[in-house]
Amino acid sequence: MARVGPSDANVLITGEHGTGKEIVAQTLHRLSSRAERTLVAVNTGALPEGTFESELFGHVKGAFTDARSDRIGRFELASGGTLFLDEIANIPVRQQAKLLRVLETGELERVGSSKTQKVDVRMLSATNADLRAECAAGRFREDLLFRLNTVEISLPPLRERREDIPALAGHFMARYAARYRRPIQGLEPAALQMMLQYGWPGNVRELDHTIERAVLMARGALIEPADLGLNTQQRGSAQSMDEMSLEAVEAILIRKALARVGGNVSHAADALGLSRGALYRRIEKYGL
């Protein structure tokens, strides 16, 4: 990040949900010569296909039924700064060609306009999917991938970087102790040991939520194992479904559906019979 940040190179950030991809994007922007300008973040997976072009490129009044006034798109908003496109693998193939053209030429037209505008953006993108596999399956353009990943930064899951858990836990503990005005001074050794042994399927985001809850639940100055609320039995023995809440079952089904399709939210939504927006709301709700 230190080497790439000061450049204008396009960076693709990869990793599982909750590993900190947006934090990396913010850091790259802060390290760049564009740090004083805007960082515009867009969750492309949450954009309906019908409004995708309007959201990214803008539109002019009368371009379609609800276009009652001119609208500036995210590319124009980010011009001179940085544009961060999250969940890049979920952009429909039809729209990928339009995105590629803007990246190649630095030019765009608002929807309904024939006037070409120049934009100057530094492109950062992120995904939890395997884009090379998506290219092989015909769901992602290879030429677009080459444009996006001048440099690729791959974030390992938390279970593969357990040595970072104490520092991350300390960071979150200080944040929430101050926010909730709780006199928390640290972790009991047994609580830290439990955290080091846990699998963290939700990665750093799950650790963040766990520490927040523990700070609220702690009865003394030190966080105890019970305060963490971690289900450490999950790996050893499967919990009977009739002992689980509806939300717990739903979270498991969503995680399995995402794993089957390599993290592609559109395909997982189809498999589960949900709209993409409904699935995104559940992913956020369960911290997946």
Side-chain angles (χ1 to χ4, degrees), residues 158 161-176 185-187 191-193 195-196 200 204 207-208 211 223:
L158 189 54
R161 44 184 286 213
R162 294 177 190 271
E163 66 277 7
D164 290 341
I165 290 173
L168 287 166
H171 167 72
F172 294 133
M173 196 161 46
R175 173 195 291 176
Y176 293 120
Q185 295 176 8
L187 290 153
L192 179 57
Q193 188 62 33
M195 290 167 59
L196 290 170
W200 298 109
V204 181
L207 175 61
D208 182 354
I211 295 296
I223 290 173

Side-chain angles (χ1 to χ4, degrees), residues 203-262:
N203 293 298
V204 181
R205 185 183 292 138
E206 184 182 5
L207 175 61
D208 182 354
H209 293 169
T210 297
I211 295 296
E212 181 177 14
R213 181 175 59 240
V215 165
L216 289 168
M217 297 302 294
R219 286 158 292 191
L222 296 179
I223 290 173
E224 301 175 7
D227 300 328
L228 298 171
L230 295 176
N231 183 4
T232 53
Q233 304 302 315
Q234 224 169 17
R235 286 177 300 169
S237 60
Q239 189 178 6
S240 171
M241 194 168 283
D242 55 12
E243 296 173 3
M244 298 169 68
S245 68
L246 178 61
E247 290 188 347
V249 174
E250 188 174 53
I252 290 170
L253 291 174
I254 290 171
R255 187 178 285 118
K256 287 185 174 181
L258 287 166
R260 278 199 307 273
V261 296

